[in-house]
Amino acid sequence: MAPNSRLFLAVFVTFSLFFSPAFSAHDYANALKKSILFFEGQRSGKLPPDQRLRWRRDSALHDGSTAGVDLTGGYYDAGDNVKFGFPMAFTTTMLAWSVIDMKRNLGSEYGNALKAVKWGTDYLLKATAKPNTVYVQVGDAFSDHNCWERPEDMDTLRSVYKIDRDHPGSDVAGETAAALAAASIVFRARDPGYSHLLLDRAVKVFEFADRHRGAYSSSLHSAVCPFYCDNNGYQDELLWAAAWLHKASRRREYREYIIRNEVVLRAGDTINEFGWDNKHAGINVLISKEVLMGKSNELKSFQINADSFICSILPGISHPQVQYSPGGLIFKAGGSNMQHVTSLSFLLLVYSNYLSHANHAVPCGQKSAAPALLKRLAKHQVDYILGDNPMRMSYMVGYGARYPQRIHHRGSSLPSVRAHPARIGCKAGSRYFLSPNPNPNLLVGAVVGGPNSSDAFPDSRPFFQESEPTTYINAPLVGLLAYFSAHHN
Ligand SMILES: *[C@@H]1O[C@H](CO)[C@@H](O)[C@H](O)[C@H]1NC(C)=O
């Protein structure tokens, strides 16, 4: 018996008390399938013949034309019709990480998961085709948000925004490089030519991001703020990109870059957060794998940071720096809470897998957390999303007996093109937005922002912080559901 086993046990007991003992039998495989299908509903551009979500049609077929480039395709970020490059790249990185770590657990969904990644990377390749330039947004967010329109009808301003040497954006360029590098791993065996193209582009985009440093929120402030303003700075994305490039290429220069820049790029900052803006916890967990696999002791400090990140979110361990709702859901202020739930749970799960392989536990002060404990917390969060919560409802559209009916999503809430072929203009959509009726089109698999800090959920379109789905809520969830679909109990 390990000397710490009694502590593990104590922690388990605390934990079971903290969360209501859930003995639910969720259909994780079904939820997994739906979580990937959701991405088809967010597609922009010309839809392919194998599109399964049939109420959507082609949209935004001239994106980029005002700048003389082809920027069709990609994903709408959430319930609106803007293509925001920063969260789109993060979504793609997280989908790729889900596939890389849970490849064997995806089962029959493997092919669909690859398609979801590729819909992102095909667009990112277009956005980075011109050297030292990244197209980072299509659509004027103010003009878009002023209308309630189907993407198929869109007549709002499709302004094109870019960064270049004189208007840098190391945050969005770094995240784009990370996405391309991560996806190159996904396609390495399946499509070596495409994989090579992705890695080659990732190298170039990272070079540009690093050489011309700056925040895109400064260069393009009025376009990207307050929507996806990089409040956290661009330093984390540079390290994050280097970490993915190192993983994808195994080139020494990236490891040296990480070691050389660890302090100046503040690897240990704001550890208990992970999302489209803040990559610190993700960087530390990702790089820790190298350390735990015994491949690099020079990177030990990243594992120490990852350990403190884990301790900071485990209830009953130290002073948790993360709040939990009375029903046991991770809760962070600021809206779209489920993005924190899925991304932090994803890190718990992958770190627990890295720890298990290395036969390691996390030291948290006087206590110690075993990998199984991390996994249990991640599973509790997923089960909460699927229905084990005080509202007794699933927060994934189309999963379970009760789920959100009035999600804040233009396409889902307006009649489909098939049902209503005539155009519905900007303000003509308002009556659908304000209607108390359920949405006519099921955006299957969409996970919404979720309940407030007292586990209550209004299921009302105007409450966008609770009722809006986003691509970066679902992306890490794909990995979580893949794992739990293959590992019951
Ligand atoms: C959560 O929503 C419920 C129902 O709308 C409300 O009564 C409660 O005050 C809200 N809690 C917080 C913390 O906002």
Side-chain angles (χ1 to χ4, degrees), residues 18-50:
F18 187 84
F19 294 103
S20 59
F23 225 73
S24 51
H26 284 294
D27 190 347
Y28 300 105
N30 182 263
L32 168 66
K33 192 182 187 64
K34 289 172 174 164
S35 71
I36 299 172
L37 187 56
F38 159 74
F39 287 93
E40 293 195 9
Q42 296 303 110
R43 283 174 171 176
S44 180
K46 178 141 192 63
L47 302 181
D50 64 356

Side-chain angles (χ1 to χ4, degrees), residues 265-308:
L265 296 179
R266 312 191 320 253
D269 266 22
T270 12
I271 49 162
N272 63 349
E273 227 179 285
F274 183 50
W276 58 262
D277 185 11
N278 188 330
K279 314 294 147 60
H280 286 106
I283 295 164
N284 289 309
V285 167
L286 182 66
I287 296 178
S288 291
K289 187 178 181 193
E290 304 264 315
V291 185
L292 286 160
M293 300 293 167
K295 284 186 189 157
S296 177
N297 225 34
E298 296 165 301
L299 300 170
K300 182 79 183 163
S301 55
F302 288 89
Q303 193 205 328
I304 294 168
N305 291 339
D307 283 349
S308 14

Side-chain angles (χ1 to χ4, degrees), residues 393 403-407 436 457-463 466-467:
M393 68 181 288
Y403 49 79
Q405 300 292 323
R406 294 164 200 85
I407 66 171
F457 179 72
D459 196 6
S460 164
R461 267 167 235 115
F463 287 77
E466 286 89 5
S467 65

Side-chain angles (χ1 to χ4, degrees), residues 452-454 456:
N452 68 12
S453 62
S454 5

